[in-house]
Amino acid sequence: MDFGNADNWGAAIYFWIIPVVLGDAIFPPIPSEMVVITGGALSADGRANVFLVGALSAVASWIGDMVVFQLFKRRLSHVLDRWRWGRKVHHGIHEAIAKAGRSSTYGTIIGARFIPGGRLATSAAAGIADVSVRGFSLCAGLGAILWACWLVGLGYFTGSATKLPFWASSLIGVVLGLVIGVVVGIIATRRRGTRSPVDEPPPAAEAPGA
């Protein structure tokens, strides 16, 4: 694949969006924002459909949030501890919760995804706090739509305004998104603690002789 060829990226971006955005739900370092912004930049260049990019991004974001929410709501997160990579992910989730705070209110479920690591932390915290499935689903869906519109719009705007190659517009959009996200994160988390404020109940001890 020629990575500098916009036509190749325009055809492949649809297949990248779903796995990358889904993966980002559990492992935030996966660059989902970059992929979605790139989709917006390609749309500005006429290489992709802006509405399809936005729809795929929103759906993948919602599904990922629901997976994390159900994992913690059903107290199945200990399954991650069976593997070394899973223990690292589990530890990272609690670090994300510590940084983003314990709030699982509906407003936080919608808005925290714009803070680095906030999407994972809020989904996990909402599951631990036994937020209703319907309420979380609706808020996660609305948040996913707003998140997708923001990132696709950011890529589309930078692509339209700069008239640079799509990869350059994508990088500019990513930098802008990171700066804004970090600023919002600093404002929102400056009073949070450093240890995870949400502790999962320990697994029940087995009876002697069992």
Side-chain angles (χ1 to χ4, degrees):
M1 178 178 176
D2 181 2
F3 290 98
N5 191 318
D7 289 325
N8 289 341
W9 272 97
I13 193 67
Y14 304 122
F15 299 98
W16 280 103
I17 288 174
I18 291 180
V20 171
V21 175
L22 278 174
D24 178 48
I26 294 179
F27 192 61
I30 293 177
S32 64
E33 289 85 359
M34 179 176 289
V35 172
V36 178
I37 290 172
T38 298
L42 287 167
S43 299
D45 200 33
R47 309 290 180 175
N49 186 299
V50 66
F51 298 106
L52 183 55
V53 169
L56 290 174
S57 302
V59 170
S61 177
W62 178 81
I63 293 175
D65 291 350
M66 292 302 299
V67 169
V68 173
F69 172 72
Q70 290 290 354
L71 188 68
F72 281 83
K73 187 176 182 66
R74 298 177 184 277
R75 305 297 189 258
L76 298 177
S77 57
H78 64 276
V79 173
L80 295 172
D81 296 331
R82 296 180 179 179
W83 303 277
R84 179 178 298 178
W85 65 266
R87 290 192 292 272
K88 290 181 179 179
V89 170
H90 199 171
H91 179 69
I93 289 172
H94 278 279
E95 285 187 339
I97 294 174
K99 291 178 181 178
R102 68 165 63 240
S103 179
S104 56
T105 62
Y106 291 143
T108 303
I109 293 170
I110 294 172
R113 68 193 60 244
F114 296 95
I115 302 171
R119 176 185 170 204
L120 167 64
T122 305
S123 298
I128 295 170
D130 283 327
V131 173
S132 72
V133 175
R134 181 179 180 183
F136 179 84
S137 178
L138 290 174
C139 291
L142 177 56
I145 292 172
L146 295 174
W147 177 82
C149 289
W150 157 244
L151 293 179
V152 174
L154 189 58
Y156 192 93
F157 172 78
T158 55
S160 300
T162 63
K163 303 298 182 181
L164 294 171
F166 80 96
W167 57 267
S169 299
S170 299
L171 289 176
I172 294 172
V174 168
V175 171
L176 288 174
L178 284 175
V179 170
I180 295 173
V182 168
V183 171
V184 172
I186 291 174
I187 295 173
T189 64
R190 60 185 176 182
R191 295 183 179 179
R192 303 296 186 186
T194 56
R195 71 182 284 273
S196 176
V198 181
D199 295 319
E200 296 174 78
E206 295 185 2

